[in-house]
Amino acid sequence: MKESTGELVAALAVMIAVGIFIAFFYYTLWPVIKQNFDGSTQCSRAICPKCEDPNGCEYVTCHIKGSDETIDCIYRG
């Protein structure tokens, strides 16, 4: 009986650890990943002007197709 109790405690500890890792991913890492993905998707669909700066541009203000919304995107040349 002592061995099965030890295995049960070990299994419970593993389940709690996995739950903590899942919660950390869901509440900490996933919002950052989703925001980056959404921003990249919007920039790939946006209409961006050419860079007018002779030294080059890092960001440009782009217009999203079909709306009046503007976003800043990395200039890709």
Side-chain angles (χ1 to χ4, degrees):
M1 196 62 146
K2 225 178 191 184
E3 292 176 14
S4 63
T5 303
E7 290 176 6
L8 180 63
V9 169
L12 187 61
V14 168
M15 283 190 249
I16 290 172
V18 168
I20 290 170
F21 287 133
I22 289 172
F24 175 76
F25 176 79
Y26 185 74
Y27 290 108
T28 305
L29 297 178
W30 180 248
V32 174
I33 294 169
K34 184 169 178 7
Q35 181 182 9
N36 188 14
F37 178 74
D38 290 343
S40 297
T41 303
Q42 286 182 349
C43 284
S44 67
R45 294 179 183 169
I47 300 171
C48 301
K50 293 189 177 188
C51 178
E52 301 295 331
D53 188 3
N55 297 327
C57 296
E58 188 172 341
Y59 289 93
V60 291
T61 301
C62 303
H63 302 284
I64 295 180
K65 296 176 187 176
S67 75
D68 294 334
E69 185 179 353
T70 60
I71 56 173
D72 289 332
C73 296
I74 296 173
Y75 183 68
R76 299 180 192 243

